[in-house]
Amino acid sequence: MPALQFDIEAICPVTGARAGTLHTPHGAIPTPVFMPVGTQATVKGLTQRQLAEDLDARIILGNTYHLYLRPGHESIDRMGGLHRFMNWDRALLTDSGGYQAFSLSQLTKVTDDGVLFSSHLNGDRHLFTPESTVDTQLALGSDICMVLDECLPYPTSHEHARVSMERTLKWAERSLDRFRARMEETPRRQARSEPMPQALFPIVQGSMYGDLRGECARRLVELDAEGYAIGGLSVGEPRALSMEMTEASVPHLPVARPRYVMGVGTPEELPEYVARGVDMMDCVMPSRNARNGCLFTSRGKLIVKHARYKEDARPVDESCGCFTCAHYSRAYLRHLFMAGEILYSTLATLHNLARYLDIMRGIRQAIVLGTFPRFLDSVRSQPVEEPS
Ligand SMILES: [Zn+2]
């Protein structure tokens, strides 16, 4: 029996956008879905209760690189796994840690074996291999694990991108071999009463070359995984190119399996990815921008420090139903931000994530009702900046 069951309930006949449900051992997830990022086993500024009860987030991300270095995946394993450790009984997805090994570490060496890097915490040397990152994620107990892939900076030559893509393909195969071997083992621990079946997604790479993206996707599909991701986007390329690379990848992926674009996007990009057949996305943008004073509203971005909000009694977004908008004014949020108060981060993150999850619910409903093309048109005509 597959660890993930994915049911598609509606497909937009014009765009191909899909509405479905992803069934994981830790609950059902309506798709398309945006997954809040909980880098260090926490979505910064929020409690798990806020995530579940206020936002109804069904799945969040954890970062393997960070958890491997601190507190250590073995320690989390001994504490009963990541779900129990962080008191989150809904679904968890973890990345392989490769992206952070490339982006956070000063000294990174990539060979066919894996990624050799030095910890950004203390400089210690570590090696991530396709097999070790699977083992690490199994120790964490994530519902959806990701294979180790090579993330290239932008721009990169076609020649280099091909060599790297071949390596990513080999790593994906090795990762799935390891994963399947581990899944056949008898249950290893009594400490966990939680369900254990898990899934591993390979990742389409190929830099910004459509031919490589297509080839990578086709060859990954031969591995018959339970879902597929598109990685290596949002690395500094123009936004139109990220969309183009998604379009070059998606048509080669199986219709019946979930598709996940990693590390995207802005509020106005979410429906664009869905329109290209994407079911899952994640990004630090809503939470990070919230902390930096940028709030997303149905009328565009609101920069909270602007003097014009000093005595503005309106909520951040009059059409938002989140806890922050129900109880607090722009003036109060601006005051907290200017004073450097911790509560600002909590209230702002709560709102921005509510905005993202509301957009996804709106997208899903439009697909189910058959009005997604009209939804897309209206999003495309909306301003990006909040009018003053
Ligand atoms: Zn709100």
Side-chain angles (χ1 to χ4, degrees):
M1 197 191 104
L4 288 181
Q5 189 191 327
F6 183 51
D7 298 327
I8 297 175
E9 285 141 39
I11 298 182
C12 168
V14 179
T15 62
R18 303 117 64 83
T21 304
L22 187 60
H23 300 271
T24 75
H26 289 88
I29 303 160
T31 64
V33 62
F34 178 83
M35 305 180 283
V37 178
T39 306
Q40 313 229 37
T42 164
V43 173
K44 291 186 199 305
L46 298 187
T47 63
Q48 279 68 311
R49 189 166 77 174
Q50 287 168 317
L51 281 167
E53 292 180 13
D54 291 341
L55 295 172
D56 195 19
R58 302 295 182 90
I59 178 169
I60 62 172
L61 250 71
N63 281 120
T64 295
Y65 170 90
H66 290 283
L67 299 173
Y68 162 90
L69 290 177
R70 181 177 59 193
H73 59 290
E74 285 158 340
S75 177
I76 291 175
D77 192 9
R78 287 189 294 271
M79 295 301 294
L82 186 54
H83 288 90
R84 184 175 298 181
F85 183 58
M86 66 182 289
N87 186 36
W88 177 252
D89 63 5
R90 298 184 174 194
L92 279 170
L93 181 149
T94 47
D95 60 7
S96 69
Y99 180 80
Q100 280 75 21
F102 286 105
S103 61
L104 289 179
S105 173
Q106 295 294 311
L107 299 160
T108 306
K109 192 175 169 222
V110 184
T111 67
D112 289 341
D113 277 348
V115 187
L116 189 64
F117 64 95
S118 46
S119 159
H120 75 292
L121 297 174
N122 59 14
D124 284 356
R125 303 287 276 166
H126 298 270
L127 176 69
F128 278 168
T129 68
E131 292 81 8
S132 78
T133 54
V134 165
D135 291 342
T136 302
Q137 293 174 83
L138 291 181
L140 295 173
S142 343
D143 298 282
I144 301 175
C145 310
M146 304 301 300
V147 301
L148 185 67
D149 61 334
E150 186 176 10
C151 307
L152 294 177
Y154 171 80
T156 298
S157 72
H158 189 279
E159 192 186 358
H160 186 198
R162 169 166 283 286
V163 170
S164 169
M165 179 198 84
E166 294 290 348
R167 181 177 285 139
T168 287
L169 281 162
K170 282 198 195 86
W171 285 0
E173 196 176 342
R174 280 169 55 187
S175 300
L176 273 155
D177 284 349
R178 175 65 147 229
F179 180 78
R180 285 167 177 157
R182 290 287 310 273
M183 285 296 105
E184 280 168 18
E185 290 172 11
T186 46
R188 294 158 291 141
R189 58 178 78 72
Q190 325 293 259
R192 283 187 202 174
S193 54
E194 293 176 9
M196 284 300 291
Q198 290 157 309
L200 177 70
F201 288 9
I203 304 171
V204 178
Q205 287 287 352
S207 188
M208 301 304 154
Y209 301 101
D211 60 324
L212 297 182
R213 289 274 171 184
E215 180 180 340
C216 190
R218 285 192 300 274
R219 289 169 62 187
L220 286 177
V221 170
E222 291 168 17
L223 301 175
D224 193 27
E226 294 193 64
Y228 293 87
I230 299 169
L233 300 181
S234 285
V235 291
E237 78 280 10
R239 296 290 182 173
L241 203 48
S242 332
M243 294 291 165
E244 211 181 293
M245 292 305 106
T246 304
E247 289 165 11
S249 311
V250 166
H252 303 284
L253 299 175
V255 172
R257 308 281 163 89
R259 305 156 177 166
Y260 163 30
V261 175
M262 307 178 77
V264 299
T266 62
E268 50 286 354
E269 285 169 350
L270 301 177
E272 298 290 347
Y273 280 103
V274 174
R276 285 158 179 81
V278 171
D279 307 296
M280 306 164 70
M281 289 170 272
D282 78 283
C283 193
V284 292
M285 186 175 275
S287 40
R288 182 177 290 165
N289 282 26
R291 298 194 301 280
N292 294 335
C294 172
L295 301 172
F296 296 112
T297 80
S298 54
R299 291 158 55 81
K301 275 185 208 164
L302 185 153
I303 306 302
V304 78
K305 72 175 179 195
H306 281 174
R308 64 172 181 266
Y309 303 127
K310 189 163 191 284
E311 296 186 3
D312 191 334
R314 292 173 296 170
V316 171
D317 186 343
E318 281 165 319
S319 60
C320 175
C322 86
F323 177 81
T324 302
C325 290
H327 297 281
Y328 302 99
S329 64
R330 297 175 181 184
Y332 182 61
L333 283 172
R334 177 179 185 275
H335 159 68
L336 293 179
F337 180 77
M338 300 305 279
E341 282 294 333
I342 291 169
L343 181 58
Y344 166 77
S345 290
T346 295
L347 295 178
T349 304
L350 199 56
H351 166 76
N352 268 4
L353 283 174
R355 172 79 190 134
Y356 264 62
L357 298 183
D358 279 350
I359 291 171
M360 299 311 292
R361 285 185 201 103
I363 290 172
R364 188 175 196 281
Q365 189 181 29
I367 297 169
V368 170
L369 295 176
T371 56
F372 183 65
R374 209 185 325 146
F375 182 97
L376 202 55
D377 282 343
S378 75
V379 171
R380 285 172 178 164
S381 60
Q382 272 169 13
V384 173
E385 301 293 331
E386 150 108 359
S388 49

PDB file of all heavy atoms in Angstrom, residues 320 322 324-325 351, ligand 1:
ATOM      1  N   CYS A 320      -9.686  40.317   5.770  1.00  0.00           N
ATOM      2  CA  CYS A 320      -9.021  39.126   6.311  1.00  0.00           C
ATOM      3  C   CYS A 320      -9.688  38.726   7.626  1.00  0.00           C
ATOM      4  O   CYS A 320     -10.004  39.567   8.459  1.00  0.00           O
ATOM      5  CB  CYS A 320      -7.538  39.425   6.536  1.00  0.00           C
ATOM      6  SG  CYS A 320      -6.632  38.079   7.323  1.00  0.00           S
ATOM      7  N   CYS A 322      -8.280  36.752   9.946  1.00  0.00           N
ATOM      8  CA  CYS A 322      -7.308  36.178  10.888  1.00  0.00           C
ATOM      9  C   CYS A 322      -7.417  36.839  12.269  1.00  0.00           C
ATOM     10  O   CYS A 322      -8.008  37.896  12.429  1.00  0.00           O
ATOM     11  CB  CYS A 322      -5.888  36.272  10.329  1.00  0.00           C
ATOM     12  SG  CYS A 322      -5.040  37.832  10.644  1.00  0.00           S
ATOM     13  N   THR A 324      -5.177  38.355  14.001  1.00  0.00           N
ATOM     14  CA  THR A 324      -4.537  39.675  14.039  1.00  0.00           C
ATOM     15  C   THR A 324      -5.496  40.740  13.510  1.00  0.00           C
ATOM     16  O   THR A 324      -5.679  41.795  14.133  1.00  0.00           O
ATOM     17  CB  THR A 324      -3.247  39.642  13.198  1.00  0.00           C
ATOM     18  OG1 THR A 324      -2.399  38.632  13.727  1.00  0.00           O
ATOM     19  CG2 THR A 324      -2.524  40.977  13.225  1.00  0.00           C
ATOM     20  N   CYS A 325      -6.086  40.469  12.368  1.00  0.00           N
ATOM     21  CA  CYS A 325      -6.978  41.468  11.766  1.00  0.00           C
ATOM     22  C   CYS A 325      -8.269  41.629  12.564  1.00  0.00           C
ATOM     23  O   CYS A 325      -8.886  42.692  12.546  1.00  0.00           O
ATOM     24  CB  CYS A 325      -7.268  41.107  10.308  1.00  0.00           C
ATOM     25  SG  CYS A 325      -5.811  41.314   9.255  1.00  0.00           S
ATOM     26  N   HIS A 351      -0.815  36.794  10.420  1.00  0.00           N
ATOM     27  CA  HIS A 351      -1.582  37.387   9.309  1.00  0.00           C
ATOM     28  C   HIS A 351      -1.043  36.944   7.944  1.00  0.00           C
ATOM     29  O   HIS A 351      -1.814  36.527   7.077  1.00  0.00           O
ATOM     30  CB  HIS A 351      -1.590  38.920   9.376  1.00  0.00           C
ATOM     31  CG  HIS A 351      -2.062  39.497   8.082  1.00  0.00           C
ATOM     32  ND1 HIS A 351      -3.388  39.515   7.707  1.00  0.00           N
ATOM     33  CD2 HIS A 351      -1.370  39.961   7.009  1.00  0.00           C
ATOM     34  CE1 HIS A 351      -3.502  39.981   6.486  1.00  0.00           C
ATOM     35  NE2 HIS A 351      -2.290  40.257   6.028  1.00  0.00           N
TER      36      HIS A 351
HETATM   37 ZN    ZN B   1      -5.197  39.132   8.761  1.00  0.00          ZN
END
